[in-house]
Amino acid sequence: MRNFRDKIAVITGAGSGIGQALAIELAKKGAILVLSDKNETGLADTKKRVETIGAQCHTYVVDVSDVKAVTAFCTKVLKEHEHIDLLFNNAGFALGKISFRDVKMEDFNRLMDVNVYAVVLHTKLFLETLIARPEAVIVNISSLFGLIGMPDQVPYCTTKFAVRGFTESLRAEMYDTNVQVHSVHPGGINTNIYKNAVHYKHDANEERIFQKMLERTSPESAAKTIIRGVERNNARILIGADAKLLDNIARTLPEGYTTIIQKGKKAMGF
Ligand SMILES: NC(=O)c1ccc[n+]([C@@H]2O[C@H](COP(=O)([O-])OP(=O)(O)OC[C@H]3O[C@@H](n4cnc5c(N)ncnc54)[C@H](O)[C@@H]3O)[C@@H](O)[C@H]2O)c1
């Protein structure tokens, strides 16, 4: 898709970070925005910013882990706007550093609900309208951690590998349609993801290292890369030098890369 003017774009998790930056980037390109987030304040902030640019914007407070709320949201959007052209499944969160041995299953389950099942449900509920459009786009935000396995990130990696599997197989199914399907794999992006993560204990060293990793790429730059990937119909969109390097290592050494990562982490002291 090259022209976004008057196209209706749904973005989940649009109240912060990558979702907010995507909304602003699409507003500049003339899209009509349909934004959701569980955070009403963040959502209002995004609405204000995109309306300043001149975009038409509709906001909905939705917790994407609530199946009833998501179903009501998708039904309402289709009733109010008749169709959509782009779907960005962006809402997500992370857990701080925690071993699989110590993670609580309730946190693992919630991560699956938000990072995986919400992506599947939004896609299912909007798919027929997207297929009926002359051109349409589904963008699912996975992660660098959907390309490589990381110690102390087993639940998050599980969800992001699932998003990638869902997206790549759906892309194959959509081959004969007008629906472009993209999986996005950001490395560290400077958003609120670490602040919003569920932390089991405060660890100043971990926080410092994570913040440093996040500072590599701004959300604005990430959003621009995603939109460029959509314009060029790139199936897999990697963001940042860290994502590209680690993806390369994992593909070159599929059996040995986890040892390299674990050694690297130990050398960095976390
Ligand atoms: N920041 C990074 O380094 C990074 C790297 C790889 C992937 N990602 C992914 O990018 C996506 C966006 O994250 P971000 O970095 O912008 O983080 P962020 O915390 O700044 O923004 C995430 C947004 O999602 C919303 N959200 C979370 N749970 C929700 C729920 N249950 N219902 C509705 N909204 C909910 C939050 O309120 C927030 O506004 C996520 O899927 C994340 O996993 C981020």
Side-chain angles (χ1 to χ4, degrees), residues 169-182:
S169 41
L170 183 68
R171 183 189 307 138
E173 273 195 24
M174 290 297 111
Y175 176 72
D176 281 331
T177 73
N178 292 324
V179 185
Q180 296 177 201
V181 184
H182 306 265

Side-chain angles (χ1 to χ4, degrees), residues 16 92-94 156 189-199 214:
S16 172
F93 75 104
Y156 189 73
I189 313 293
N190 201 0
T191 68
N192 290 316
I193 190 140
Y194 186 80
K195 196 176 121 231
N196 289 338
V198 173
H199 297 283
L214 294 184

